Amino acid sequence: MASAGAGYHLQLFPRTAAASACPAASLGSSRKKAQRRTTLLCRAAGGDYFRIDRRDVLAGLTGVALGVYPNLAVAAGTEPDDSNKNRAKSRSRRTASSARAARPLARACFKPPLSVSRVLWPAHRADEHLDLVEKYKKALTKMRELPADDPRNFARQAAIHEAYCDGHYHLLGAAGAGNEPFDVHFSWLFAPWHRMYIYFYERILGSLIDDDTFALPYWNWDAPAGMALPAMFEDSTSPLYDAKRNPEHVNAYVNFMHPKDGVLIPWMKMRDGKNALGASDFLGGNFSPAVDRNSGTSGKLESAAHTGIHIWLGNPSMCKDKDNGKVCELDMGFLGTASRDPVFYSHHANADRLWHIWSTRLEGRNFEDQEWLNTSFTFYDKDKSLVRVTVRDFLDPAKLGYRYEDDEEKKQPWEDSAPDLSSDSKTKATSTGAGTINNYFISGSFPKMKYNLSPLRLTQGQNVELPSVARPKPTTPKQQQVLVFDAVEFSPREEAKFDVVINVAPEQAGNLDPRYKEYAGSFASLPRGGGKNTLVVPVELPLDDVLNDIGAANDGAVNVVIVPRTQGITIVTKPRIESKAAY
């Protein structure tokens, strides 16, 4: 009998801070000790069985639970309404709900559909699918009209994303260390968790109109014709409408690069996410429960266009400063409210489609690590039953009963594209051979100055040059060069972004974007809530493509230039270049 792979052993507990959109029950230690241990035997992909313990489960109003990593078992079902009236009411019920909090969550293992029956379609071609648009409106209307205590209700479905992505649940390490806010972003959990979330949302909608073939439209923003918000979401009388989008951007083409006055760059010109990169490059790095940071690394699928579109569509005027920090209701532009906008689900359907194309047509290899494959979550299905699902259950859309109208067999317009511009301002690094960085230069509206590198606080408009960063030689042909930042600190309540370019004079680096061969990538974070004033995450940027494009593949060192696009980011530790397996 197969068992879950080795991994971290974590617990997720609801955040106890007030004014949460997801009020949660708590459980006394004596009650937890007395709780009976039970198990759930699930069959994994490939026919093997594995056993899941149900232990110390918390399932009050939120339906959140203990998480065991790699079997990270957290139930999706939360209290959605964050109005002042309902916040107070929910807080008053929290103690009462504690008495009934302890109960097993997952009543069943996941059973995939028996056949492929759903075809997701591009939203910008809605005029070719008018009957499907009407089905979506009808289904969403019914979802919004469900009783508030029904886990299929639209507001409660939207609150699932907030619960998992906005710091409402905390981690507790096996040794009692940690207590970090949990987030499915910034790690290899991003793609599979969102696929699970979209899957159950879509299945619930189909069941409400008694149509098993119902499929979501996807926002095809990687095609030039799909770079604007699809018109089907603009009708203010439609259930697909959201009033909290940025009015300046509703009828404009998306700027993936975040700066609102920047040049428009179609997806086909972006380096991020197109090539058959290793799994950690595309999907993100291993989730880490370390005390000083609570993430892995963002993959290209998350950090590029995905985050840019969230920020582009959110309305910044919907944020207000309160005594306990910034409170935002800008829907797509803030993690805590993003899923309240129906376009969120079409946006993530396209991110899911790109994962599918990457893992099929582009021959990308998913992780084979048991920690990843056996990570599990619990969702409410169309019958209001709690179902346990694992990452390995959600690797193949065909086995989940759906495909995309523009599927992996069709060559995408961006596959053969690449950065086609070069900077006129080039520099040449001198190899130090030491592999360390002892100083850096800042350029701005003053002469370039030299500084020692101990936590480096970035300032927008002042580009930072790390001169002559040594490159280690790969020990095997399958290794790739990666620029590694062990710790990047920023406020989770604000947008955070910096770009990285290679071998360009720092005073010119701010003019570069993904159309340029010297552009190596970006770190980007969407504003979120959570229980911390700062977050610390690692960042890794693969360099092989850019080094080949600029003719530096054989150079012993390169000059790295950091271009801050927002305020408040600190580079805590010295960056370095490593040779890593292209997993």
Side-chain angles (χ1 to χ4, degrees):
M1 180 179 295
S3 61
Y8 297 109
H9 200 70
L10 306 178
Q11 291 180 320
L12 295 180
F13 288 105
R15 180 164 59 91
T16 57
S20 166
C22 303
S26 59
L27 194 63
S29 59
S30 60
R31 180 68 177 272
K32 285 187 286 187
K33 291 178 181 178
Q35 185 175 337
R36 179 182 177 185
R37 174 178 291 190
T38 59
T39 59
L40 181 67
L41 192 64
C42 289
R43 187 165 189 161
D48 292 332
Y49 287 88
F50 61 95
R51 187 181 303 274
I52 298 175
D53 289 339
R54 298 178 181 142
R55 290 172 287 187
D56 301 328
V57 169
L58 301 178
L61 295 174
T62 62
V64 70
L66 169 87
V68 181
Y69 190 78
N71 295 314
L72 193 56
V74 188
T78 60
E79 186 75 12
D81 195 333
D82 68 343
S83 66
N84 291 333
K85 178 180 178 181
N86 281 280
R87 282 181 180 178
K89 183 187 298 183
S90 296
R91 285 197 296 271
S92 68
R93 292 185 304 193
R94 191 175 303 164
T95 302
S97 67
S98 299
R100 62 178 183 273
R103 67 174 183 266
L105 285 178
R107 304 289 183 180
C109 302
F110 177 68
K111 295 180 180 179
L114 298 177
S115 62
V116 175
S117 58
R118 305 187 310 284
V119 182
L120 279 70
W121 46 281
H124 72 277
R125 286 168 30 201
D127 56 345
E128 302 172 23
H129 301 284
L130 294 179
D131 59 328
L132 301 180
V133 175
E134 291 306 313
K135 281 186 178 181
Y136 193 9
K137 291 180 179 179
K138 180 180 178 181
L140 190 54
T141 297
K142 287 180 174 291
M143 180 180 272
R144 291 183 186 274
E145 292 174 346
L146 289 172
D149 61 352
D150 191 320
R152 303 169 302 164
N153 171 280
F154 179 76
R156 292 196 68 180
Q157 285 290 304
I160 294 170
H161 186 263
E162 176 177 5
Y164 283 101
C165 306
D166 203 25
H168 287 285
Y169 303 142
H170 280 208
L171 299 169
L172 183 63
N179 195 30
E180 295 292 311
F182 174 70
D183 191 335
V184 294
H185 296 81
F186 291 119
S187 81
W188 61 1
L189 297 179
F190 170 80
W193 185 90
H194 283 84
R195 176 174 284 180
M196 297 169 185
Y197 181 36
I198 296 295
Y199 172 88
F200 286 101
Y201 173 79
E202 181 185 73
R203 296 289 280 165
I204 291 170
L205 286 168
S207 71
L208 293 175
I209 57 173
D210 197 25
D211 184 355
D212 286 341
T213 68
F214 173 82
L216 286 171
Y218 58 91
W219 182 1
N220 193 191
W221 37 255
D222 57 298
M227 282 184 63
L229 178 72
M232 63 179 289
F233 293 99
E234 294 184 23
D235 180 3
S236 61
T237 66
S238 167
L240 302 175
Y241 181 75
D242 188 292
K244 295 178 180 178
R245 299 168 186 154
N246 190 327
E248 296 181 5
H249 297 161
V250 167
N251 293 308
Y253 286 109
V254 170
N255 184 340
F256 294 116
M257 294 308 296
H258 306 220
K260 305 306 183 285
D261 57 351
V263 66
L264 288 175
I265 304 168
W267 173 260
M268 63 175 52
K269 293 298 182 183
M270 297 183 71
R271 184 190 302 278
D272 288 343
K274 294 199 303 261
N275 300 327
L277 302 166
S280 59
D281 297 330
F282 188 73
L283 298 176
N286 190 334
F287 176 79
S288 170
V291 174
D292 59 343
R293 74 181 190 217
N294 64 315
S295 75
T297 55
S298 294
K300 299 300 184 184
L301 180 65
E302 176 188 354
S303 62
H306 159 263
T307 300
I309 285 178
H310 270 287
I311 293 173
W312 172 258
L313 201 54
N315 188 346
S317 68
M318 305 303 292
C319 278
K320 298 179 180 179
D321 290 325
K322 300 288 186 179
D323 293 339
N324 59 345
K326 183 170 288 189
V327 176
C328 295
E329 292 183 350
L330 37 66
D331 285 11
M332 275 288 283
F334 189 79
L335 275 183
T337 57
S339 50
R340 299 178 189 178
D341 187 337
V343 81
F344 168 93
Y345 304 92
S346 292
H347 171 42
H348 274 275
N350 197 52
D352 182 77
R353 167 179 161 270
L354 292 178
W355 177 21
H356 180 49
I357 292 173
W358 172 82
S359 64
T360 53
R361 181 174 178 80
L362 300 184
E363 300 181 347
R365 289 180 55 202
N366 286 313
F367 294 103
E368 298 174 357
D369 195 314
Q370 294 301 305
E371 289 184 2
W372 187 68
L373 293 171
N374 290 336
T375 298
S376 72
F377 295 92
T378 308
F379 286 85
Y380 284 105
D381 68 7
K382 59 187 178 64
D383 300 316
K384 296 193 288 186
S385 298
L386 282 164
V387 178
R388 175 85 65 181
V389 296
T390 66
V391 169
R392 68 170 71 247
D393 292 328
F394 275 72
L395 297 181
D396 185 356
K399 293 181 179 179
L400 297 170
Y402 73 91
R403 65 179 178 86
Y404 289 96
E405 187 173 285
D406 186 10
D407 62 23
E408 73 274 11
E409 299 300 325
K410 181 179 179 181
K411 190 170 185 177
Q412 303 302 310
W414 41 258
E415 285 189 40
D416 295 328
S417 67
D420 54 6
L421 299 178
S422 293
S423 173
D424 294 330
S425 175
K426 297 186 181 297
T427 62
K428 182 71 173 177
T430 301
S431 177
T432 63
T436 60
I437 305 168
N438 296 317
N439 56 64
Y440 61 92
F441 297 95
I442 291 180
S443 66
S445 57
F446 46 83
K448 186 164 73 171
M449 301 181 67
K450 182 176 180 179
Y451 297 84
N452 291 326
L453 186 67
S454 64
L456 167 61
R457 187 171 180 84
L458 303 181
T459 301
Q460 190 174 0
Q462 297 180 3
N463 302 334
V464 177
E465 180 184 27
L466 310 176
S468 299
V469 182
R471 296 178 51 209
K473 293 182 179 180
T475 57
T476 69
K478 293 184 178 181
Q479 286 187 325
Q480 63 180 2
Q481 301 274 285
V482 179
L483 180 63
V484 178
F485 298 80
D486 283 325
V488 174
E489 184 177 18
F490 60 98
S491 169
R493 298 182 177 89
E494 307 286 346
E495 176 188 353
K497 183 175 188 290
F498 64 79
D499 297 335
V500 174
V501 298
I502 303 297
N503 285 1
V504 174
E507 59 270 18
Q508 299 297 324
N511 299 324
L512 273 61
D513 55 52
R515 298 172 300 163
Y516 286 82
K517 297 178 180 180
E518 295 85 359
Y519 170 85
S522 301
F523 161 75
S525 175
L526 183 68
R528 66 199 66 207
K532 298 193 70 173
N533 293 324
T534 61
L535 288 179
V536 180
V537 302
V539 176
E540 294 185 1
L541 299 175
L543 295 180
D544 284 2
D545 283 349
V546 65
L547 296 177
N548 288 328
D549 287 347
I550 66 176
N554 297 319
D555 292 355
V558 295
N559 297 326
V560 174
V561 181
I562 300 172
V563 182
R565 299 297 187 184
T566 63
Q567 295 291 108
I569 301 175
T570 298
I571 309 298
V572 180
T573 57
K574 298 177 182 180
R576 64 187 182 280
I577 296 176
E578 292 185 358
S579 291
K580 290 192 170 185
Y583 190 100

